Amino acid sequence: MITTVTLNASIDKAYYMEKAIKNGEVMRVSRCRNSAGGKGLNVARVVQLCHEEVLATGLVGGYNGQYLESLLKAEGISFEFGHVLGETRSCINILDPQYGSTEYLEPGCCVTKDEEKEYIKLFQEIVKKSDIVTLSGSVPQGLSADIYQKMIEIVKNENKEVILDTSGVYLKEGLLAKPTMVKPNKEEMEMLFDTEINTIEEVIHYAQKIAQMGIQYVVVSLGADGAILVMENQVLHARPPVIQPVNTVGCGDSMVAAFAVALQRKYPPKEALTFSVAVATANALSPETGSFEMQQCESIFNQVKIKEIEEGEYICH
């Protein structure tokens, strides 16, 4: 079973506008769509579409938390959340013809130390029945800076595999526990190493630095250029076919989900990377976040070009 963790879950509200937004005026929404939000929940949706058993966990609270669980139940996604006294946040995405997408993201309620301890106890029990665990996204106020590090250590102590997809101090602290895989993007690596990254050579260079920390798989998404997989002694670059993207939101989460599925199925690295890029590309063709058509994915899989990068082929200056 694959378990997905979303510590800072949300009710995602998409507001569809017929007219461009005008500041300071009353604007009427033509259509509204509510969904259970958070990076880990996008991962859970994609795992379910891949026909693998999945369990969503994390923290929820208040009426919004109850509503989020009801939305997941309607989708047929199994869940086992820790409950807090605070209210689960809402995140609003305004889509209008002039500006496109404008997002307003609440920070999330404050979680107490006792609530953190209670959730860690629940998480320990969930890990025992899991094979792969994914840890995704931001963290609500009040949780320890090393929360992901603690959770990775719990997973590894049970000899299970764990994927980390986060940023900032939570990525830095999480790396100390050596997760099986991490999926930083260019901006997250720039923050991690306090540097500017401008070329694919530099992407590989800094991904190798992460791999040298004891990380088995470092996957870096390159958008339309696919993704790089860096391992201790091997670098792979997978390029998808050229497409006209419909919605790129959630492509990173789709890549995490696909790699978790690949680990569950014990795919070799080349097949795992090809599958991950195919699923992420298929997600970009869907108007919904964390969704794809399997037939499209299979077609893209056969068109992905994968290349092993030899040492010295890309030289970092």
Side-chain angles (χ1 to χ4, degrees):
M1 180 179 74
I2 297 170
T3 294
T4 72
V5 177
T6 313
L7 292 177
N8 208 8
S10 64
I11 299 296
D12 283 0
K13 303 176 78 68
Y15 290 171
Y16 296 87
M17 314 295 293
E18 290 182 349
K19 298 178 181 179
I21 298 170
K22 293 182 180 179
N23 291 330
E25 294 190 15
V26 174
M27 303 298 302
R28 298 196 180 277
V29 177
S30 64
R31 181 166 60 92
C32 178
R33 180 172 60 85
N34 295 338
S35 59
K39 291 173 68 63
L41 297 181
N42 292 334
V43 173
R45 291 184 179 95
V46 173
V47 170
Q48 181 170 260
L49 285 171
C50 291
H51 305 295
E52 292 291 341
E53 185 182 3
V54 65
L55 176 73
T57 185
L59 295 170
V60 297
Y63 291 109
N64 271 354
Q66 294 174 31
Y67 182 38
L68 185 145
E69 290 181 325
S70 72
L71 290 171
L72 287 179
K73 188 174 182 180
E75 290 185 66
I77 295 175
S78 299
F79 56 84
E80 194 171 345
F81 286 101
H83 294 93
V84 298
L85 289 176
E87 190 78 25
T88 290
R89 64 181 181 153
S90 293
C91 293
I92 297 171
N93 184 13
I94 300 174
L95 300 116
D96 77 293
Q98 181 174 343
Y99 299 104
S101 172
T102 304
E103 293 186 288
Y104 295 86
L105 309 180
E106 293 182 8
C109 65
C110 188
V111 178
T112 68
K113 293 301 178 186
D114 286 342
E115 288 171 336
E116 179 179 329
K117 289 177 183 177
E118 283 302 309
Y119 180 67
I120 289 296
K121 290 179 185 177
L122 172 64
F123 181 70
Q124 288 172 325
E125 294 304 311
I126 290 173
V127 169
K128 291 175 183 177
K129 55 188 178 184
S130 307
D131 301 306
I132 317 287
V133 177
T134 70
L135 307 170
S136 301
S138 63
V139 168
Q141 303 171 66
L143 288 182
S144 308
D146 63 350
I147 183 67
Y148 281 142
Q149 181 185 345
K150 293 174 185 175
M151 296 174 78
I152 291 165
E153 288 170 351
I154 290 168
V155 178
K156 293 185 69 176
N157 286 340
E158 292 289 338
N159 296 312
K160 309 297 177 66
E161 294 180 298
V162 55
I163 296 173
L164 177 64
D165 181 18
T166 188
S167 60
V169 66
Y170 304 106
L171 174 60
K172 184 177 181 180
E173 294 291 331
L175 287 171
L176 297 176
K178 299 180 174 64
T180 310
M181 172 194 151
V182 294
K183 197 204 72 60
N185 58 32
K186 182 177 79 73
E187 291 74 20
E188 288 161 355
M189 288 200 296
E190 287 177 332
M191 188 183 300
L192 182 66
F193 292 104
D194 191 23
T195 190
E196 189 173 311
I197 298 173
N198 297 304
T199 66
I200 193 169
E201 293 92 339
E202 292 171 343
V203 168
I204 293 170
H205 174 73
Y206 287 105
Q208 286 175 325
K209 282 185 172 291
I210 296 174
Q212 289 162 7
M213 297 176 188
I215 313 301
Q216 189 174 354
Y217 304 110
V218 182
V219 177
V220 185
S221 174
L222 303 174
D225 287 326
I228 295 284
L229 169 58
V230 174
M231 296 165 282
E232 184 180 9
N233 297 310
Q234 190 178 28
V235 179
L236 300 173
H237 184 188
R239 292 178 182 270
V242 176
I243 64 163
Q244 292 296 322
V246 175
N247 174 25
T248 58
V249 178
C251 286
D253 302 328
S254 297
M255 190 169 286
V256 167
F259 210 94
V261 169
L263 288 176
Q264 178 85 345
R265 297 174 181 174
K266 303 192 183 304
Y267 287 170
K270 284 188 178 180
E271 188 175 356
L273 182 60
T274 302
F275 180 64
S276 299
V277 168
V279 170
T281 305
N283 178 86
L285 292 172
S286 170
E288 296 182 16
T289 301
S291 179
F292 69 94
E293 294 290 336
M294 185 59 72
Q295 190 173 356
Q296 282 183 328
C297 179
E298 291 169 353
S299 174
I300 293 167
F301 182 92
N302 293 324
Q303 298 176 68
V304 172
K305 295 179 180 178
I306 193 158
K307 176 183 180 181
E308 183 168 354
I309 298 173
E310 302 294 338
E311 187 174 355
E313 186 172 345
Y314 286 118
I315 301 172
C316 181
H317 298 287

